[in-house]
Amino acid sequence: MALYLIGDLQGCDEALGRLLKKIDFSASRDTLVLLGDLVNRGPDSLAVLRRMIAMQGSAHCLLGNHDLHLLAVAHGVRKPHRSDTLDGILHASDRSVLLDWLRARPLALHMQGWLMVHAGVLPQWDVAQTLALADEVEITLRDADWGEFMHQLYGNQPAAWSADLTGADRLRVIVNALTRLRFCSADGVMEFETKDSAAAAPEGFMPWFKVPGRQTLGTPIAFGHWSTLKGSAERQGVLPLDTGCVWGGCLTAARLGPRGEAELIQVQCPQSQKPGKKKL
């Protein structure tokens, strides 16, 4: 019985199939966690969602920014980007089933001592608060009026967390931290323009996992979203697992051991997109 974590798929279903075969994944024996961005930019997002739905019980999936983008496009809140590859889902006969399943996914999990998110955690949040705040968003997305929330989701403000935040502002900060965060200041002000490596931090900002005294220090954290890290953050007690599958890198699984160790298993991926400036 093993627990495997996999980083950003972004519609690369064929690579996922090869990776599951390589790790000899058994749905009756093992557990799989996908760390968000199941869809978009890759060649077969529809197959990814259908595979994950079929694996319910053995597979857990977090929401990433691209997954939320799909929900927003489907609801008419956002226009598709030129690099989007979401038409297969949007025109599928089971579209409503797929979208309802997707919006019911969590934004954070805590399993086998590991905290799992798509992007990052603000320095003021400990594990319990991270999970509680993620749950606020999850409840909102599962509500019958979830579309109203989608219309208020996008934006970079407020840029910092405050316990006094309410309504859409509160939920927007939570979503931005858990699905978009790379850099923030020592007091948790988020910066969203820079998407390069950790060494490219703008003045006054740093990678979220390097903030001194962050409340999750001491808890191992696995995340995706940041392909340019190339695994370099592991020594800070965090495990970045977006290894650029859609860009022609690898798709990576981490097999978590009983003492917190992580064994990495990879498959090479064909390039589906060329790296460049992206809005998501």
Side-chain angles (χ1 to χ4, degrees):
M1 183 175 183
L3 173 60
Y4 294 95
L5 313 183
I6 295 180
D8 302 35
L9 284 175
Q10 296 199 245
C12 297
D13 184 70
E14 185 273 338
L16 174 60
R18 286 191 286 116
L19 183 56
L20 293 177
K21 184 176 181 180
K22 186 171 183 177
I23 64 179
D24 191 26
F25 182 82
S26 170
S28 62
R29 179 192 63 214
D30 303 322
T31 301
L32 178 69
V33 178
L34 300 185
L35 299 175
D37 278 4
L38 282 68
V39 304
N40 208 15
R41 293 182 177 160
D44 207 342
S45 295
L46 176 60
V48 169
L49 293 190
R50 286 176 173 168
R51 185 194 290 266
M52 290 300 103
I53 290 174
M55 291 175 64
Q56 283 193 78
S58 60
H60 304 271
C61 303
L62 299 180
L63 279 176
N65 53 301
H66 279 277
D67 308 314
L68 289 168
H69 175 65
L70 166 59
L71 293 174
V73 170
H75 204 71
V77 174
R78 302 191 92 187
K79 293 182 178 180
H81 295 155
R82 286 181 295 176
S83 59
D84 285 354
T85 58
L86 299 171
D87 284 351
I89 298 170
L90 296 173
H91 299 300
S93 59
D94 54 347
R95 162 186 162 137
S96 61
V97 173
L98 298 170
L99 296 177
D100 286 346
W101 175 85
L102 188 64
R103 68 183 175 91
R105 298 311 96 201
L107 274 76
L109 287 171
H110 190 223
M111 301 174 66
Q112 207 167 299
W114 285 73
L115 179 61
M116 305 164 194
V117 298
H118 175 62
V121 180
L122 286 174
Q124 304 98 317
W125 299 349
D126 60 17
V127 174
Q129 186 174 17
T130 301
L131 295 171
L133 294 174
D135 193 53
E136 291 184 26
V137 179
E138 293 158 26
I139 290 170
T140 302
L141 281 172
R142 292 187 182 111
D143 190 85
D145 294 328
W146 68 280
E148 181 179 344
F149 165 62
M150 296 303 296
H151 281 281
Q152 303 176 76
L153 172 60
Y154 288 94
N156 294 340
Q157 299 296 326
W161 168 251
S162 168
D164 296 330
L165 289 171
T166 60
D169 284 349
R170 180 182 179 92
L171 296 175
R172 191 181 308 114
V173 169
I174 298 168
V175 170
N176 282 344
L178 295 176
T179 70
R180 297 178 61 205
L181 179 62
R182 291 184 179 93
F183 296 102
C184 66
S185 67
D187 54 357
V189 176
M190 295 181 281
E191 195 273 346
F192 296 114
E193 295 303 315
T194 310
K195 298 175 172 56
D196 298 323
S197 68
E203 185 177 357
F205 295 90
M206 64 197 79
W208 64 266
F209 49 83
K210 287 190 175 182
V211 173
R214 62 179 170 87
Q215 293 300 300
T216 49
L217 196 64
T219 298
I221 303 177
F223 63 100
H225 187 60
W226 202 345
S227 61
T228 53
L229 284 180
K230 302 184 186 301
S232 62
E234 191 171 359
R235 62 182 177 272
Q236 277 86 32
V238 292
L239 180 61
L241 285 173
D242 179 3
T243 47
C245 178
V246 77
W247 311 118
C250 293
L251 184 63
T252 301
R255 185 182 190 274
L256 300 187
R259 293 176 295 278
E261 67 274 22
E263 175 192 0
L264 301 185
I265 307 101
Q266 296 181 321
V267 295
Q268 187 65 43
C269 303
Q271 186 179 60
S272 298
Q273 295 271 343
K274 293 183 179 180
K277 294 292 185 181
K278 304 296 179 183
K279 293 182 179 180
L280 290 180

